[in-house]
Structure formats: structure tokens, C-alpha cells
Amino acid sequence: MTQTQPIEAVPRPRNGTDHTATPTAGQPYEYRRRQLVEPDWTRYPGWRHVTREQWESAQWQRANCVKNAKQLRAVLGDLVDESFYADLATDQATRATMSMLVPPQMINTMVPDGPVTTETFRADPVRRYMIPIASDRRTDWPSHPYATRDSLHEHDMWVAEGLTHRYPTKVLAELLSTCPQYCGHCTRMDLVGNSTPQVDKLKLTLKPVDRYDAHITYLRAHPGVRDVVVSGGDVANVPWRNLESYLMRLLEIETIRDVRLATKALMGLPQHWLQPDVVEGLERVARTAARRGVNLAIHTHVNHVQSLTPLVARAAQTALEVGVRDVRNQGVLMRGVNATAPDLLDLCFALQGEAGILPYYFYMCDMIPNAEHWRVPVWHAQQLQHDMMGYLPGYATPRIVCDVPFVGKRWVHMLTEYDRERGISYWTKNYRTSIEAADGGALSKRYEYYDPIDTLPESGRAWWTRRAAEPAA
């Protein structure tokens, strides 16, 4: 059989791509390796005389955390004008769900390149979620009508104080309610941190030793649980001796096969994880976990590439060197911070290629009060997942997930129905939480999740406006 060639001036390559066409269109994203750099903290007037020894001290970092506008002014000097501090004070008084607590390490990653000015500081992505100001937030829909202070109902699912049994084989152990740093978008804003004018925080009432005993007792009695996320708050705020004791007790339970330490401080306060006593203790825990065949991992929380510095990479590498199996990142998608494909890809390449941290999840920001300016709609998250594919190694391509109330984490393409006009997505699940043991219909229900109203078409915004005006049933 004779094959005929298409009549063309230039034969077409087998893959159908004509490489002779000029000019080339280029790729939507161009990878450029960027080595990590520790920004010069002495560019800030308040730290002009801080030595490297001080900077790399966890004690100095904790002692010099910024907790209010006055302390921030002492660091920034006249680089930022009074309008910014007034904006910050207004937010703290009227909108903030988290009290202010920012380590020097994190402030130093704000505006790392170029001059620090009022404009550049306002625009900085790390600043936008760590030091929110009133003008960041929406005035039309600052909160979604269905926003709640415990949007994932974690407290409702406590089986002991601080122990959330949400998934069949996994629990979340909240050891304490404090962190070395407070993020404006915190999903546990009902419990974590100091109370604010807007939120009177819940309190853990048991002594730590009694809380930990209750956790261990429950886990010994429930052999179906194999995975424990040890969190808070942030485990970096648990005195190491207490944390090591808790972890060793977990490792004595034969049915526990995975232990994950949740600590944003690996990025926000890497100095903590480089302290000799912490490193030595982590090695003891890691060796015990390995001997017993338990997977020990650290999960951290980096939202922007600026936050990755050589100190963060050193902390991650040290954890791996002493035997932690994996260091993984769980970020949060936020408008104005990282909700573009280039931002996410820049971050993931730096995590995986420069810091030795595996990109794992990006969560859609949860439906807590005063968070609408950060949240993105489901369709936007789906587009981001699409746009990230094909650039990173498969094992380092993060999944973008929606944490649906009463359902749990779902990949953003797993919805069963989506009303784009009203911004309502519908989801199903395949297990019961600890509070649904008697609910025979839990697995046949559809559960709703809501897009930010300002992202909807005009007809959808009008529908929600009418609904908000209706009297409560």
C-alpha cells in the first residue's frame, strides 16, 4: 500500500508540531531556578544593629515578636507612614479574628527586594495574610452568610479535649492553643490565640498532662485509628520534653502507623527547629518511629516563595537528616497572596528543589468570618490545578483541595454538582464522622460549599442580597 505525504512546503514533524514557525509563542510559565536568600534584616531601622548570632537564636526571635502597631512601628521606623498603622489599628479593633503575633523571621521576608515603602509594604503578599489591615477586607461581603468560627466543626467532633475524630482512620490532636505566629486566615480562629474584640476564644480547660492522657486513652481504645496529626496551635510551642513524651507514648500504641507533626514554625521560626535540644530529641523520636515501622513526618505551612530562606531549608534538611521520613507543605490558597499559577509554581519549585520540602496540599481558605477577601471560588481552584499540571515532577505536584464541612478534604474536581451562578457546589462523602454514627443518611446526602459572593455574576450577587434581606426562619 502506497502512503502519500501531505502536500506541504515543509514536512510536518511526527508529533504534529511545526518547530519552524516563528516567533515561538513561549510557555505560559517559564521556570527559572532561584536560589534561596536570607534577606538583610538590617534594612529595617529597628534591627539595624541585630547580629547574626541574635538573628539565629530562637530565644531572640520569640522575645522580639511583633504584637501590635507600636512594636511594628519600632521595627519599620519611618519607612511606612502613619496611614498604614491607622489602617492596622482599625482592623485589629473591628475585623481581626486573630491577635497579632509575627516573628522577626517572617517580617524579614516581607518586601525582600527593593525599597520598603508604604506602597510596597501594603502590597506584599506575606504581609497581606500575616498583618491584615482594614482596607484589605471587603466592605460589601466581609463574611459569607454561612461563615462560622469553627467552620469545619472540629470542636463538635472532639472525642476528648483537643482530639478531633473526623475521619475513620485519622485523628487531629490539638495539644495546645498557641503558636509562635498567628495567621490572619487561621481556620482554628475560635480556639487558637488570644481573644480579639471580634472573637472571644474558646479555652482548653484540662491541664496538659490530663489532656494528653485522655488522648492516649482514647487511641488505645480505638485500634481503627492509625494516623495522628499532632497539632494545636503549633507543636513548636509545646516544651520539647512534653512533646517528646507525648510522641513516645503514641509510638507505643501498636495500631498507630503514621504520626505527623504540624508546625508552621518550621518556616516562621526555623530557629526553633535548629536548637540542639530539639534536634537531638527529634532524632530520638525518629529512631524510635523507624524501629517500630511508623512513618514520622513534619507538615509545615508556607504560602509564598518569599518565605523560603536558607534558614528554613536548613531546618527542613536537619529534620530529614535525623530521620524524619518526609517534610511536607500544606499551603492555603488566598487572593492577593498566591492564587495564581506562577505564584504557586514558583513556591513549589523552591519548596521541592531548594528547601527539600514536598509540596503536598493547597487548601481553599475556609469559611471563617471576615475572610472573603482571601477566599477563591471553586472554579478558580480548579483552573489553578489545571494550570499547574505538567511543570512539576508528578510526586511534587500538590493537590488543591476543598475542605467541605462535614465531608472533609476533597480534590476540587470531585464535586457532584455546581451552581456557578449562585456559587454553590455540592459534594458527597464515603464515611461518617464521629458525630454521625447513628445517621443512616450521612452517606447519601449532598453537602454544600459556597463561593465568595463578590466573585459571582450580577444575578448571583442579587440572589444572595435578597436572601440576606429575608427574615430568619
Side-chain angles (χ1 to χ4, degrees), residues 9 71 108 170 173 198 245 252 299 311 364 368 382 409 440:
Q71 292 178 353
N108 193 41
K170 299 180 284 186
Q198 291 68 247
S245 172
E252 291 172 357
H299 283 198
L311 274 174
M364 296 179 66
I368 58 169
Q382 292 175 332
K409 292 181 286 295

Side-chain angles (χ1 to χ4, degrees), residues 378-426:
V378 170
W379 63 262
H380 185 94
Q382 292 175 332
Q383 185 65 48
L384 287 172
Q385 184 75 83
H386 172 276
D387 292 348
M388 293 179 70
M389 301 302 292
Y391 288 94
L392 293 153
Y395 69 89
T397 301
R399 288 170 285 184
I400 298 181
V401 295
C402 182
D403 210 341
V404 183
F406 292 110
V407 175
K409 292 181 286 295
R410 287 292 184 268
W411 301 348
V412 290
H413 288 84
M414 290 178 66
L415 48 78
T416 60
E417 188 179 338
Y418 192 3
D419 181 345
R420 285 279 299 270
E421 180 184 20
R422 296 175 179 178
I424 307 173
S425 50
Y426 300 87

Side-chain angles (χ1 to χ4, degrees), residues 339-375:
T340 72
D343 281 335
L344 294 180
L345 287 168
D346 283 350
L347 171 55
C348 290
F349 277 118
L351 285 165
Q352 187 264 341
E354 309 301 330
I357 300 172
L358 184 70
Y360 177 41
Y361 278 149
F362 281 103
Y363 291 85
M364 296 179 66
C365 185
D366 291 321
M367 291 177 55
I368 58 169
N370 297 335
E372 291 303 274
H373 66 294
W374 283 310
R375 293 203 309 123

Side-chain angles (χ1 to χ4, degrees), residues 429-468:
K429 66 177 181 178
N430 58 332
Y431 52 81
R432 294 178 177 87
T433 66
S434 59
I435 60 175
E436 295 171 313
D439 186 350
L443 304 189
S444 59
K445 293 179 183 178
R446 295 194 312 170
Y447 298 82
E448 297 176 348
Y449 184 84
Y450 303 95
D451 290 344
I453 294 172
D454 70 280
T455 67
L456 304 181
E458 183 177 353
S459 57
R461 297 196 302 271
W463 185 83
W464 280 103
T465 299
R466 292 193 300 272
R467 188 179 180 92

Side-chain angles (χ1 to χ4, degrees), residues 143-158:
S143 300
H144 195 279
Y146 289 129
T148 59
R149 53 183 285 165
D150 181 14
S151 66
L152 302 179
H153 304 278
E154 290 179 337
H155 181 262
D156 296 335
M157 299 177 195
W158 276 6

Side-chain angles (χ1 to χ4, degrees), residues 303-304 332-341 343-344 347 362 384:
N303 289 324
H304 197 274
V332 174
L333 286 182
M334 288 179 281
R335 280 192 276 179
V337 177
N338 60 11
T340 72
D343 281 335
L344 294 180
L347 171 55
F362 281 103
L384 287 172

Side-chain angles (χ1 to χ4, degrees), residues 105-384:
Q105 175 74 25
M106 290 205 73
I107 293 177
N108 193 41
T109 65
M110 300 174 191
V111 198
D113 305 307
V116 179
T117 66
T118 303
E119 290 70 28
T120 58
F121 200 70
R122 281 180 179 272
D124 186 83
V126 179
R127 193 286 305 163
R128 287 182 63 85
Y129 83 92
M130 287 304 301
I131 309 178
I133 52 180
S135 61
D136 291 338
R137 303 190 194 260
R138 300 200 64 84
T139 56
D140 50 358
W141 296 99
S143 300
H144 195 279
Y146 289 129
T148 59
R149 53 183 285 165
D150 181 14
S151 66
L152 302 179
H153 304 278
E154 290 179 337
H155 181 262
D156 296 335
M157 299 177 195
W158 276 6
V159 291
E161 185 179 81
L163 189 67
T164 298
H165 194 169
R166 187 180 182 198
Y167 300 95
T169 61
K170 299 180 284 186
V171 295
L172 166 70
E174 296 169 292
L175 298 193
L176 76 174
S177 60
T178 66
C179 300
Q181 66 284 305
Y182 294 137
C183 311
H185 65 278
C186 183
T187 188
R188 297 191 187 120
M189 44 72 59
D190 66 319
L191 173 69
V192 171
N194 301 318
S195 293
T196 72
Q198 291 68 247
V199 184
D200 187 18
K201 307 279 181 165
L202 298 176
K203 302 294 182 184
L204 296 171
T205 58
L206 294 177
K207 295 179 180 179
V209 63
D210 295 330
R211 186 179 315 119
Y212 304 166
D213 284 347
H215 292 188
I216 299 300
T217 298
Y218 181 85
L219 293 171
R220 284 175 175 160
H222 291 80
V225 176
R226 64 173 306 283
D227 183 351
V228 183
V229 177
V230 185
S231 183
D234 190 313
V235 296
N237 270 16
V238 181
W240 180 260
R241 182 172 60 181
N242 296 350
L243 179 59
E244 183 172 347
S245 172
Y246 183 91
L247 296 175
M248 290 298 195
R249 294 175 72 187
L250 282 182
L251 294 175
E252 291 172 357
I253 303 174
E254 187 175 346
T255 49
I256 301 300
R257 312 310 298 152
D258 276 280
V259 175
R260 294 180 270 171
L261 306 181
T263 173
K264 181 167 185 156
L266 190 78
M267 175 275 289
L269 192 71
Q271 294 85 349
H272 169 82
W273 291 100
L274 290 167
Q275 294 178 108
D277 63 322
V278 174
V279 173
E280 292 163 8
L282 187 61
E283 184 170 20
R284 289 191 294 269
V285 174
R287 285 180 175 175
T288 302
R291 188 168 63 249
R292 298 181 180 177
V294 177
N295 297 313
L296 176 69
I298 289 177
H299 283 198
T300 193
H301 177 183
V302 187
N303 289 324
H304 197 274
V305 68
Q306 287 176 198
S307 297
L308 291 172
T309 75
L311 274 174
V312 177
R314 195 199 312 171
Q317 187 60 42
T318 298
L320 294 170
E321 287 173 355
V322 301
V324 172
R325 173 172 174 167
D326 290 299
V327 180
R328 308 181 186 119
N329 186 64
Q330 299 183 145
V332 174
L333 286 182
M334 288 179 281
R335 280 192 276 179
V337 177
N338 60 11
T340 72
D343 281 335
L344 294 180
L345 287 168
D346 283 350
L347 171 55
C348 290
F349 277 118
L351 285 165
Q352 187 264 341
E354 309 301 330
I357 300 172
L358 184 70
Y360 177 41
Y361 278 149
F362 281 103
Y363 291 85
M364 296 179 66
C365 185
D366 291 321
M367 291 177 55
I368 58 169
N370 297 335
E372 291 303 274
H373 66 294
W374 283 310
R375 293 203 309 123
V376 300
V378 170
W379 63 262
H380 185 94
Q382 292 175 332
Q383 185 65 48
L384 287 172

